[in-house]
Amino acid sequence: MENSDNFLTTKMNKPIYGITLFFILGIIIGRYLTLPFLPLYLGLIVLFVLTFVLYLKKKEKWTGYSLFLITLLIGIVYFYYVYYPHSSDHIAGYAPSQEKVTVIGEVVSRPQLKERRIRFILEAQKIITEGEEGQEKTTQGRIWVVSYFPLENYDYGDTIRLEGRLRLPEEAREKGAFDWPRYLSYQGIWVELAIGMVTVVKRGGGNPLIKWAHKSRDWMVRVIEHTLPEPHSFVLKGIMLGDKESLPPGVQESFLRTGTGHILVVSGLHVGLILLLLLILFRVLALPSRLAFFVAMPILGYYALLTGLRPPVIRATLMVIIGLTSLTIGRDTPLLAILSLTCLIILLLNPLALFSASFQLSFLAVAGIVYFTPYLEIKLKRLPSWLKRPLAISLSAQLFILPLLAFYFNRLPLIGVIVNLIVTPLITIVLALGLLSVTLGMVSLASAQWVAYSNWLTIRGLLKITDFLSFSESPALSNLVCPSFGSFPFWILLVYYPVLISLPYLFRKFNPEKQSL
C-alpha cells in the first residue's frame, strides 16, 4: 500500500477510485432510469445524517460505504439537474412552433460553413411570437441553428436576431442509426431552427480568452495555408488544431482504417508531445524545474482553448496540471489516482461529457495504458527493451478502445497497434516543426516557409504510410486488417471489459512467483 500521506489517500485504500466510480454510476442510472426526485432528495438528507453519526462513532468502514452511496445519489440528482430543462421559460417549451418566431440570442459556438450551410449554437435570450398574443418574452436554452444565407458576417459572442420555425430534432429513421436528438441533448440542445437571414444586433461579447484563442487559431491557420500546399496543410491543421473538416475523404478513411484517426482530432497525445517539447526547451534555457512547470501549465491551458476544449485535451491538460502540482509539492501520486481525479473534475463541470465517444475513448485509452502496460511488459519480457515498452503501451491502449471503436464506428482497426508504433515518432516531428513554423511566422513567413519544407516531407511520408497500410487498393486485405460490420452488440462490451480488467489479477493469482503489478 502506498504512503498514507498521499493527498488522495486516507486510511481507506484510494477513496478517489470509489468516489469517481460511484459518481459515474449515478450519472448512468440518472440517464437510463427515471426515478422520482423527492425520494432521492430525502434519501440524500438521511444518508448525510447517517454518515455524520457513523463518523462521530468512528465507524470508518461504514462511513466510507455511506459516502459512496451519497456520491451515487449525488450523481443521479446532478444528472437530472443538468440534463433536463426545468425552467418554465425554456426555449424547448416553444417547440415545435406552427408559426414563425423571432429569437434574439448570443452565438456561443464558432459558426462553421459546411455544404453551403452555416451551423452554430445560439444561447436564446428573448423570443417574439406572432399573432394577437405576440409579445417579447425572456427565454433561455440553447438552439442548434442552420443558416442557408451565409452573407452576414457574425462570429462567436455576437448577439443576433433570427426568424423561423422552431422544431424538435428528427429521430433516426432506422434502428441503430446515429441518434441525432440524443447527441444534441448531451450538449444541452433540445431545439433546432433553420433560418435564412441573420441580423446582427450587437457585436462583441463572449469570453475574452476564448475570443483571443479564436484569433490566434485564425492566424495559425493562415500561416499553415500560406506555407504548405494541400492536402499537407489540411493534415497539419488536423494534427495541430483538430480541424479535420477540410481533409479529403480518402485521407480521412486511410487514417480511420489504420487506427490513427485520433491524431486528427487533437488527443492527449498532442498535449503530451507539446509538454515534452516545452520541457526540452526549458531545459535548454536552464529554467528551474518548478518555474518550468508553472510556465508550462498556462501554455497547455491556452492550447486547450485553442483546440476548442475537446474532452481528450481537457483530460490530458488536467492530468498534467495535477501531476506537475504533485511533483512541485513533493507528492508521489499514482497515475490511476490522477486519472480518477481528472475524470471526477470533468464530470462535475459537465456530467453530460460521460456520454461522448471522445471522452470514453480518451479515458479508456489512458486507463488501459496505466493499468495494463505493466502486465504486458512482463508477458513481453523476451523482446528488446527499446521495443517492449512502446509495444506494451500501444497494445494496452488498443485493447481498451478497440471494442468501443467497433461499437461507435462499426469498424475494428486491428492494424492500429503496429501503425501507431510507426507514426507516433512522425507525429512528434510534424507537431514540433509545425509549432516552429507557426512561431517563426510571427517574424517572417519566408523563414517559416523553410521549416515547412521539412514538414512537407514528413507529412508526405505519414500520408504514404497510412495509405499503404490501409490497403486501399486491395479491398480483401483492407477488410482483413480493419473489418467493418453493420452493428456491434452492446452486450459484448459488458462481457469484454470485466474479463480484460480481471486478467492482471488472474495472472498474479496463478503466477505468484511473478513480479507483482
Side-chain angles (χ1 to χ4, degrees):
M1 183 175 176
E2 300 185 19
N3 194 322
S4 60
D5 290 335
N6 189 302
F7 79 102
L8 294 173
T9 309
T10 64
K11 291 183 180 180
M12 294 187 300
N13 186 23
K14 304 294 180 298
I16 187 63
Y17 302 150
I19 290 172
T20 303
L21 177 61
F22 276 85
F23 190 67
I24 289 173
L25 288 175
I27 294 173
I28 294 173
I29 292 172
R31 173 64 187 91
Y32 292 102
L33 293 179
T34 303
L35 301 175
F37 181 80
L38 183 59
L40 288 175
Y41 182 72
L42 294 176
L44 263 178
I45 295 176
V46 171
L47 275 175
F48 271 118
V49 174
L50 178 62
T51 303
F52 183 68
V53 172
L54 291 171
Y55 175 78
L56 291 178
K57 292 186 175 184
K58 297 183 179 180
K59 303 288 187 180
E60 295 181 3
K61 181 179 179 181
W62 291 102
T63 301
Y65 292 153
S66 183
L67 282 173
F68 289 154
L69 285 176
I70 287 175
T71 305
L72 179 75
L73 291 181
I74 288 175
I76 298 173
V77 173
Y78 191 44
F79 176 83
Y80 285 169
Y81 175 77
V82 173
Y83 185 65
Y84 295 105
H86 299 288
S87 173
S88 59
D89 59 1
H90 195 278
I91 193 67
Y94 296 93
S97 62
Q98 301 300 321
E99 304 293 335
K100 285 186 177 181
V101 298
T102 300
V103 179
I104 299 173
E106 182 178 307
V107 180
V108 293
S109 72
R110 212 134 195 230
Q112 300 291 327
L113 177 62
K114 185 178 181 181
E115 298 174 352
R116 298 184 180 181
R117 301 175 187 176
I118 292 182
R119 296 167 170 84
F120 60 92
I121 300 172
L122 184 80
E123 184 68 42
Q125 297 170 342
K126 296 178 181 179
I127 184 169
I128 304 171
T129 57
E130 293 185 349
E132 296 181 357
E133 299 180 359
Q135 57 180 327
E136 183 177 287
K137 299 178 182 179
T138 301
T139 186
Q140 58 182 286
R142 293 188 164 191
I143 305 173
W144 178 259
V145 181
V146 179
S147 173
Y148 299 87
F149 195 72
L151 296 182
E152 183 70 42
N153 183 24
Y154 53 94
D155 204 349
Y156 165 81
D158 292 344
T159 300
I160 61 175
R161 179 191 296 266
L162 308 173
E163 184 180 303
R165 290 183 177 86
L166 295 171
R167 65 189 185 194
L168 300 175
E170 186 177 349
E171 297 283 349
R173 296 181 180 179
E174 298 179 4
K175 185 178 180 180
F178 181 69
D179 195 334
W180 175 244
R182 179 174 294 184
Y183 171 78
L184 288 181
S185 70
Y186 289 154
Q187 300 179 65
I189 304 171
W190 296 87
V191 177
E192 291 181 323
L193 181 62
I195 51 93
M197 181 70 73
V198 175
T199 304
V200 177
V201 176
K202 183 180 69 174
R203 298 194 183 276
N207 188 301
L209 277 177
I210 295 178
K211 296 189 74 172
W212 186 29
H214 286 328
K215 290 180 180 179
S216 300
R217 181 188 177 95
D218 291 342
W219 172 77
M220 293 174 70
V221 167
R222 286 195 296 270
V223 172
I224 292 171
E225 291 178 344
H226 186 84
T227 56
L228 280 173
E230 300 174 1
H232 304 77
S233 60
F234 298 151
V235 174
L236 184 57
K237 285 190 292 183
I239 292 174
M240 286 186 63
L241 303 172
D243 179 10
K244 60 184 180 66
E245 295 298 328
S246 55
L247 271 174
V251 175
Q252 289 195 46
E253 185 67 15
S254 294
F255 279 100
L256 291 174
R257 298 197 72 84
T258 53
T260 53
H262 59 90
I263 70 175
L264 298 175
V265 295
V266 185
S267 61
L269 170 67
H270 299 66
V271 176
L273 293 176
I274 290 176
L275 177 64
L276 176 62
L277 295 172
L278 286 174
L279 293 181
I280 292 173
L281 174 62
F282 296 154
R283 178 67 63 87
V284 172
L285 297 175
L287 287 183
S289 296
R290 290 193 176 186
L291 179 58
F293 292 165
F294 282 119
V295 173
M297 288 182 194
I299 293 176
L300 293 178
Y302 184 66
Y303 181 69
L305 282 174
L306 199 67
T307 53
L309 295 174
R310 290 176 169 84
V313 182
I314 296 175
R315 187 268 307 159
T317 303
L318 280 176
M319 285 190 69
V320 168
I321 291 174
I322 295 171
L324 292 182
T325 302
S326 300
L327 289 175
T328 302
I329 63 178
R331 301 288 187 179
D332 183 17
T333 308
L335 279 175
L336 202 57
I338 293 175
L339 183 67
S340 297
L341 180 57
T342 300
C343 180
L344 183 63
I345 292 172
I346 292 176
L347 293 180
L348 284 171
L349 294 173
N350 179 20
L352 305 183
L354 179 64
F355 302 100
S356 72
S358 59
F359 177 92
Q360 295 169 17
L361 290 168
S362 176
F363 274 93
L364 273 178
V366 178
I369 291 171
V370 174
Y371 179 77
F372 220 65
T373 296
Y375 165 72
L376 286 180
E377 283 188 302
I378 295 174
K379 304 298 286 185
L380 301 173
K381 62 182 180 180
R382 295 184 180 180
L383 294 177
S385 57
W386 61 268
L387 177 60
K388 179 175 64 176
R389 186 164 184 79
L391 181 59
I393 291 173
S394 180
L395 188 56
S396 297
Q398 293 295 316
L399 283 172
F400 270 71
I401 67 172
L402 276 177
L404 211 56
L405 289 174
F407 178 74
Y408 279 116
F409 306 111
N410 298 333
R411 63 179 74 204
L412 201 61
L414 301 174
I415 201 172
V417 175
I418 304 301
V419 181
N420 276 282
L421 283 176
I422 299 172
V423 304
T424 298
L426 290 177
I427 298 304
T428 307
I429 297 171
V430 169
L431 189 58
L433 292 176
L435 290 172
L436 179 58
S437 64
V438 167
T439 304
L440 290 175
M442 298 172 62
V443 181
S444 168
L445 282 176
S447 58
Q449 185 74 70
W450 284 105
V451 177
Y453 286 146
S454 300
N455 216 5
W456 178 84
L457 290 172
T458 310
I459 295 172
R460 180 177 173 82
L462 175 66
L463 290 174
K464 290 288 186 182
I465 290 170
T466 53
D467 180 62
F468 176 75
L469 293 178
S470 67
F471 301 104
S472 56
E473 301 298 327
S474 174
L477 279 175
S478 179
N479 197 51
L480 182 65
V481 300
C482 182
S484 301
F485 30 80
S487 62
F488 191 83
F490 181 73
W491 66 264
I492 294 181
L493 300 180
L494 299 179
V495 174
Y496 177 86
Y497 283 108
V499 171
L500 185 65
I501 292 170
S502 67
L503 285 180
Y505 169 77
L506 295 174
F507 176 71
R508 287 196 303 267
K509 183 176 181 179
F510 294 107
N511 297 273
E513 73 282 356
K514 298 292 184 180
Q515 178 182 348
S516 177
L517 296 181

